């Protein structure tokens, strides 16, 4: 397009989420890319945010905001949860959601998810409870839970309108319902963007398809790209059926049936597995399937991790497979499984990385270290909450080479709980025998850290993100300290600083500030993290991929990265997580969609069919992103010690039984 003379700034590249735009970002950064302007790569939510800022004075009053003459504040997932948590706390204290056993942050995220689905599908958020209640056929006690979730969503929306706050759902609604119908807004868009590339449209929500359908006739050219077996974000509102309807508005439809990635043998095996998952019993199975799909059964989880590590070591060291061409996948990646795999691979000298976008910030050791040091540096932040255990682990992370025993000894001597206003004790004041046990090398680095914190206390307090930037740059990243040459820790630090900065921006404006808040923003942020707020998605964590490392990730995360590999390992094939959807008692991805008739009840039949389709889509998507072979691993007992009989395991066993019977007939 650029070579033909089209100005780059007239090209709009639209994607459902920013991670799917990584190939386009990579292309724009190529040294041989034509000079000049830059194409606009956005999601509709991002485009909507730009237009809300541009047309705010005109649109704010129409959208119902109480202060249209004051600027808006855009909320991230984290700041949205912060305000929602403050609003619903009195309700939770009254007994709301008592019958639901979920972490508070998961409850909050589902309330926000309901608002996002209402905005993405295009129905009033006030009808959420009614839609969910009419579809429910279970225990009557669940019905009032939907009413409580509706009340929380309404409270949050009213608070946002009162204080000029825009979460994702309100940004999307404001664009679709207020700005898009505006003649002025349309003329601006029509004159600015003349060419469209809309990729992975099957992963987008229906209202985006509606906007694009109306917009198509005003483009000089448009390329719409649809993956026929996509829709992996259906639990977030993606609607492949709505996306496919855009083909009716296209002048030409080109269909690609082959694969540039999957080998013919693996494609045949994909069809065999799909047939077994669909419970087709009479389908013949060729022994050639064993050339591309390897099966392994271990009794216990640790044995499975050991076997996987040994196989990967053999692939890397003896067969020359690059570590970056190997992905280890599971339906859910628990902390224990993640740690075990990284530890086992490290023992065989194979570099590995994990990627779990929903992993909470508080689950990261580097985060706990940084926030503990921040509390120690700010004695006015009620530091009696700092425990000796936290100081021990913070010192282990902050000082390179400090083991658990010496860290525990040092923390017990230099830190006094409930006396955080006092400085950490000096290493020089320790008895000689204790100094020798801890070692003078450790003591020297501890003193550098301690004196830095003391010097900071004597200065005017900085914002938390600025404080952490200085702490990382001046101390922790230096030789001899725990973050030196630790790129994972550096990436987590960058994510944390970005999160704090966005939180500060989202809560610092007069309209956004909580009326009774007296604590500093940094202290409020630390409380939010300690409550387990879900980490927002940061594009940098998807783009900064260490070279030549094995990927360890949940299966859906791998799919959304949209990057093929040579070898895949499917762990815990007996888990029902490959088949059943997540437990979401406050929302429902299928009921809150355009494909579900209002008033129709959701029964076990629909649940079974939806789970079957989701599992087929998941397994097929994984196999289409594999070039060579797949290792399917099962265990007799899961992490909790229970036996497993998931549908994927049953399909695998069915294939093995057919192969065994065929081998027996050939032997006769």
């Amino acid at each position: 397009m650029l070579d033909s003379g089209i100005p780059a700034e007239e090209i709009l590249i639209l994607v459902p989420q920013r991670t799917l735009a990584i190939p386009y970002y990579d292309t724009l950064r190529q040294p041989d890319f034509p000079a000049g302007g830059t194409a606009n790569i956005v999601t509709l939510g991002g485009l909507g945010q730009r237009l809300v800022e541009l047309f705010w004075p005109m649109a704010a009053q129409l959208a119902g905001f109480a202060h249209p003459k004051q600027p808006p504040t855009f909320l991230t997932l984290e700041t949205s949860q912060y305000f929602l948590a403050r609003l619903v706390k009195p309700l939770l204290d009254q007994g709301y959601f008592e019958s639901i056993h979920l972490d508070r942050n998961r409850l909050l995220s589902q309330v926000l998810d309901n608002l996002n689905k209402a905005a993405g599908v295009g129905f009033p958020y006030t009808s959420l409870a009614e839609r969910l209640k009419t579809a429910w056929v279970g225990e009557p006690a669940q019905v009032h839970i939907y009413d409580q979730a509706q009340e929380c969503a309404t409270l949050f929306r009213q608070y946002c309108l009162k204080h000029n706050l825009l979460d994702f759902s309100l940004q999307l609604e404001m664009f679709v319902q207020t700005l898009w119908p505006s003649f002025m807004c349309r003329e601006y868009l029509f004159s600015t963007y003349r060419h469209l590339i809309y990729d992975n449209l099957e992963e987008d929500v229906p209202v985006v398809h509606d906007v694009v359908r109306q917009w198509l006739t005003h483009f000089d050219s448009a390329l719409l790209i649809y993956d026929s077996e996509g829709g992996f974000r259906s639990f977030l509102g993606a609607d492949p059926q709505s996306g496919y309807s855009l083909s009716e508005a296209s002048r030409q439809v080109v269909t690609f049936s082959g694969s540039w990635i999957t080998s013919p043998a693996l494609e045949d095996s994909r069809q065999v597995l799909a047939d077994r998952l669909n419970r087709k019993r009479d389908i013949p199975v060729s022994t050639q399937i064993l050339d591309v799909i390897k099966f392994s059964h271990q009794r216990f989880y640790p044995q499975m991790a050991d076997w996987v590590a040994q196989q990967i070591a053999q692939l890397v060291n003896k067969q020359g497979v690059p570590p970056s061409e190997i992905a280890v996948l599971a339906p859910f990646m628990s902390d224990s499984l993640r740690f075990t795999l990284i530890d086992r691979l490290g023992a065989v000298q194979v570099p590995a990385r994990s990627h779990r976008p929903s992993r909470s910030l508080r689950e990261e050791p580097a985060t706990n270290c940084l926030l503990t040091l921040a509390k120690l540096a700010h004695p006015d932040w009620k530091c009696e909450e700092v425990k000796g255990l936290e100081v021990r682990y913070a010192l282990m992370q902050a000082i390179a080479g400090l083991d658990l025993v010496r860290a525990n000894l040092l923390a017990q001597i230099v830190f006094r709980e409930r006396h955080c206003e006092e400085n950490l004790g000096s290493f020089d004041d320790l008895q000689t025998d204790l100094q020798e046990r801890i070692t003078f090398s450790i003591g020297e680095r501890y003193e550098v850290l301690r004196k830095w914190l003391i010097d900071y206390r004597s200065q005017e307090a900085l914002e938390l993100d600025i404080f952490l930037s200085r702490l990382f740059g001046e101390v922790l990243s230096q030789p001899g300290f725990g973050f030196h040459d630790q790129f994972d820790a550096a990436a987590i630090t960058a994510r944390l600083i970005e999160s704090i900065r966005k939180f500060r921006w989202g809560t610092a404006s007069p309209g956004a500030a909580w009326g009774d808040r007296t604590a500093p923003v940094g202290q409020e942020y630390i409380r939010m993290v300690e409550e387990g707020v879900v980490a927002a998605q940061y594009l940098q964590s998807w783009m900064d991929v260490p070279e030549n490392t094995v990927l360890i990730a949940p299966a859906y995360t791998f799919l959304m990265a949209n990057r093929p590999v040579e070898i895949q390992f499917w762990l815990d094939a007996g888990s029902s997580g490959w088949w059943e959807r997540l437990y979401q008692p406050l929302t429902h991805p299928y009921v809150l969609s355009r494909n579900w008739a209002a008033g129709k009840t959701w029964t076990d039949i629909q649940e079974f069919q939806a789970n079957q389709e989701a599992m087929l889509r998941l397994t097929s998507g994984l196999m289409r992103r594999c070039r060579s072979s797949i290792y399917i691993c099962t265990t007799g007992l899961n992490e909790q010690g229970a036996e497993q009989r998931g549908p994927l395991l049953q399909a695998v066993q069915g294939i093995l039984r057919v192969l065994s019977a065929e081998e027996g007939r050939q032997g006769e």
Side-chain angles (χ1 to χ4, degrees):
M1 294 171 73
L2 296 177
D3 289 340
S4 66
I6 296 175
E9 58 272 11
E10 292 185 1
I11 301 173
L12 177 66
I13 301 174
L14 189 63
V15 290
Q17 69 177 47
R18 292 191 302 162
T19 58
L20 293 171
I22 291 176
Y24 295 98
Y25 286 118
D26 293 341
T27 301
L28 292 177
R29 294 190 179 100
Q30 293 296 323
D32 57 348
F33 192 79
T38 302
N40 294 275
I41 305 175
V42 295
T43 64
L44 193 73
L47 182 62
Q49 180 173 330
R50 296 182 190 179
L51 294 173
V52 167
E53 288 183 297
L54 183 62
F55 294 99
W56 174 257
M58 176 191 76
Q61 190 168 2
L62 295 175
F65 286 91
H67 306 285
K69 295 182 179 180
Q70 296 180 3
T73 299
F74 296 97
L75 303 180
T76 64
L77 173 61
E78 293 163 351
T79 49
S80 297
Q81 287 196 347
Y82 167 73
F83 286 110
L84 180 59
R86 297 293 298 268
L87 283 167
V88 304
K89 187 177 185 301
L91 301 179
L92 295 176
D93 294 340
Q94 294 174 24
Y96 276 45
F97 308 121
E98 275 187 334
S99 60
I100 296 177
H101 302 288
L102 272 182
D103 292 338
R104 179 175 298 188
N105 62 293
R106 297 296 180 186
L107 291 174
L108 300 178
S109 66
Q110 289 183 33
V111 172
L112 294 173
D113 189 45
N114 277 344
L115 287 169
N116 294 341
K117 284 188 172 67
V121 175
F123 62 84
Y125 76 92
T126 52
S127 65
L128 281 165
E130 188 61 31
R131 285 172 173 263
L132 292 168
K133 287 191 295 184
T134 54
W136 179 252
V137 294
E139 294 291 333
Q142 174 69 19
V143 173
H144 79 280
I145 296 297
Y146 294 137
D147 289 325
Q148 293 173 356
Q150 178 73 71
E151 184 177 350
C152 294
T154 303
L155 277 174
F156 180 68
R157 175 57 60 85
Q158 292 172 348
Y159 185 83
C160 288
L161 293 173
K162 183 179 179 181
H163 295 282
N164 286 14
L165 304 177
L166 287 93
D167 69 321
F168 174 78
S169 65
L170 194 47
Q171 291 175 40
L172 191 58
E173 279 189 17
M174 192 171 180
F175 173 75
V176 173
Q177 299 177 11
T178 305
L179 292 175
W180 177 248
S182 164
F183 173 80
M184 186 181 301
C185 177
R186 286 199 179 200
E187 284 302 305
Y188 170 78
L189 290 173
F190 295 164
S191 61
T192 303
Y193 304 113
R194 304 302 307 158
H195 305 270
L196 171 69
I197 298 175
Y198 187 12
D199 203 351
N200 288 110
L201 61 91
E202 76 286 345
E203 303 294 346
D204 225 333
V205 293
V207 295
V208 181
H209 301 147
D210 296 341
V211 170
V212 171
R213 183 179 291 105
Q214 299 173 37
W215 198 348
L216 278 177
T217 56
H218 298 274
F219 285 110
D220 293 339
S221 68
L223 172 63
L224 312 182
I225 306 172
Y226 176 92
D227 288 351
S228 59
E229 295 186 4
F232 305 119
R233 298 174 72 245
S234 59
F235 63 96
L236 293 176
D239 193 334
Q241 295 182 34
S242 171
Y244 189 73
S245 67
L246 288 175
S247 63
E248 300 171 0
S250 303
R251 295 179 182 176
Q252 183 180 7
V253 177
V254 180
T255 303
F256 294 92
S257 57
S259 173
W260 296 98
I261 303 298
T262 309
S263 65
L266 196 55
E267 180 63 27
D268 292 341
S269 300
R270 184 193 67 82
Q271 188 59 52
V272 170
L273 181 60
D275 290 336
R276 297 304 303 189
L277 290 173
N278 280 322
R279 308 195 175 198
K280 296 180 180 179
R281 307 292 183 184
D282 301 327
I283 303 298
V285 179
S286 170
T287 55
Q288 293 181 350
I289 193 175
L290 297 178
D291 296 332
V292 292
I293 298 183
K294 323 289 184 180
F295 301 98
S296 169
H297 177 78
Q298 307 295 328
R299 177 64 174 167
F300 299 109
Y301 239 69
Q303 294 174 333
M304 177 185 69
D306 291 336
W307 184 86
V308 169
Q310 292 169 5
Q311 293 299 312
I312 293 177
Q314 184 175 9
L315 289 168
V316 172
N317 299 326
K318 296 184 178 180
Q319 300 183 27
V321 178
S324 57
E325 288 293 330
I326 300 174
V328 182
L329 311 172
F332 307 111
M333 190 60 64
S334 66
D335 289 338
S336 59
L337 179 58
R338 171 180 173 271
F339 173 82
T340 301
L341 289 170
I342 292 178
D343 180 68
R344 299 293 196 276
L345 289 173
V348 293
Q349 306 299 314
V350 175
R353 63 183 176 92
S354 68
H355 186 47
R356 201 178 76 184
S358 62
R359 181 176 167 86
S360 175
L361 288 171
R362 71 171 179 175
E363 297 174 6
E364 302 288 354
T367 297
N368 292 325
C369 169
L370 292 166
L371 297 186
T372 299
L373 294 177
K375 289 190 284 186
L376 291 174
H378 298 85
D380 55 328
W381 286 5
K382 298 182 180 180
C383 286
E384 66 273 6
E385 298 177 0
V386 180
K387 305 299 182 184
L389 190 66
E390 294 178 302
V391 175
R392 179 180 74 184
Y393 284 112
L395 292 175
M396 284 181 60
Q397 290 290 320
I399 301 174
L402 182 57
D403 57 63
L404 178 62
V405 175
R406 288 183 293 175
N408 185 59
L409 178 61
L410 182 59
Q412 287 179 344
I413 298 172
V414 301
F415 176 73
R416 297 174 60 195
E417 290 189 14
R418 300 185 179 87
H419 294 277
C420 193
E421 69 282 355
E422 300 178 5
N423 292 320
L424 290 173
S426 173
F427 182 80
D428 297 334
D429 296 336
L430 271 62
Q431 297 178 4
T432 304
D433 60 331
L434 292 176
Q435 290 179 333
E436 292 176 348
R437 287 178 62 186
I438 296 171
T439 73
F440 289 96
S441 175
I442 295 292
E444 179 183 4
R445 281 170 274 162
Y446 164 75
E447 280 297 305
V448 171
L449 176 62
R450 186 183 77 89
K451 290 177 180 178
W452 191 93
L453 294 174
I454 293 174
D455 290 342
Y456 174 81
R457 280 189 175 193
S458 64
Q459 304 169 9
E460 182 179 354
L462 301 172
E463 296 292 351
L464 181 57
D465 54 317
I466 301 174
F467 164 80
L468 293 180
S469 296
R470 283 191 54 194
L471 176 62
F472 175 81
E474 297 176 16
V475 182
L476 298 180
S477 63
Q478 300 302 312
F481 290 90
F483 289 30
H484 180 66
D485 283 343
Q486 297 296 318
F487 299 109
D488 286 344
I492 293 167
T493 303
R495 276 181 54 198
L496 179 63
I497 291 173
E498 181 183 356
S499 172
I500 297 169
R501 185 178 296 117
K502 290 181 177 179
F503 179 79
R504 175 161 59 88
W505 291 343
T507 59
S509 63
W514 194 266
D516 61 350
R517 192 187 75 199
T518 58
V521 174
Q523 185 178 352
E524 286 287 311
Y525 180 85
I526 289 177
R527 287 177 180 171
M528 183 182 69
V529 172
E530 290 176 343
E531 290 174 1
V533 65
V534 174
Q537 187 178 86
Y538 295 93
L539 185 62
Q540 204 63 31
S541 65
W542 292 75
M543 297 183 69
D544 291 342
V545 178
E547 295 183 0
N548 234 17
T549 55
V550 174
L551 172 64
I552 300 172
Y556 277 106
T557 299
F558 174 77
L559 285 177
M560 293 312 301
N562 215 16
R563 294 178 177 178
V565 293
E566 196 77 19
I567 307 289
Q568 292 179 10
F569 286 81
W570 295 5
L571 306 188
D572 203 12
S575 170
S576 59
W578 291 94
W579 182 75
E580 63 185 4
R581 62 188 177 92
L582 291 172
Y583 174 58
Q584 294 179 302
L586 304 187
T587 186
H588 200 296
Y590 299 103
V591 171
L592 300 180
S593 74
R594 286 189 184 177
N595 302 316
W596 188 255
K600 185 179 178 181
T601 57
W602 181 266
T603 66
D604 289 342
I605 296 175
Q606 283 84 18
E607 183 74 19
F608 178 84
Q609 292 174 343
N611 287 339
Q612 281 290 106
E613 292 173 2
M615 181 172 60
L616 285 169
R617 189 163 51 242
L618 172 60
T619 55
S620 179
L622 292 176
M623 297 184 78
R624 288 191 182 277
R625 287 160 178 80
C626 182
R627 297 188 183 93
S628 178
S629 57
I630 295 174
Y631 293 74
I632 299 181
C633 309
T634 63
T635 58
L637 303 175
N638 61 14
E639 284 186 291
Q640 291 74 36
E643 292 188 7
Q644 301 185 111
R645 293 288 299 170
L648 180 57
L649 174 61
Q650 295 178 31
V652 169
Q653 290 176 334
I655 293 173
L656 294 176
R657 281 196 296 268
V658 173
L659 291 174
S660 177
E662 181 66 24
E663 184 179 354
R665 284 194 294 269
Q666 291 178 356
E668 294 176 359

